[in-house]
Amino acid sequence: MPRIPSPLIAAAGLVGGYAVARWTKKRPLGGVVLAGAGAVAAREWQQVGGVKASVGLSSAYVAAFAGSHPLAKKIGAWPAVFSVAGGMAAASWAVTRGK
């Protein structure tokens, strides 16, 4: 079975988590989506890049989530989410490319 690229998983987790929280008006449900995608991505990062890559990218994933909140106050919610998702996808690709 083909693997889903970890940059896509990470970006989808950030966007999907926000979308679920916003549309259902249940923030914990969005958190489940965010955490689930983060766990799958972390497993991929560990398999492809090792423990250091997994820990570093998982930390970046949490930082992207946290950073989207103050950024949203400056540029709006959706632009902030798409910005941090794009940044997270780029970081994931940079660390795991070619492996």
Side-chain angles (χ1 to χ4, degrees):
M1 176 163 61
R3 294 166 78 163
I4 299 172
S6 59
L8 181 60
I9 296 168
L14 290 161
V15 173
Y18 175 69
V20 167
R22 180 173 178 137
W23 290 326
T24 64
K25 299 193 183 337
K26 298 191 183 331
R27 292 178 72 172
L29 191 56
V32 169
V33 172
L34 179 78
V40 172
R43 192 174 120 237
E44 289 293 315
W45 293 325
Q46 194 277 325
Q47 289 176 348
V48 173
V51 173
K52 286 183 182 180
S54 181
V55 169
L57 288 168
S58 294
S59 298
Y61 185 77
V62 172
F65 166 69
S68 69
H69 292 81
L71 185 59
K73 292 180 181 187
K74 295 183 184 298
I75 65 172
W78 279 112
V81 170
F82 286 128
S83 295
V84 299
M88 190 63 234
S92 177
W93 178 81
V95 171
T96 61
R97 68 182 165 178
K99 293 183 181 177

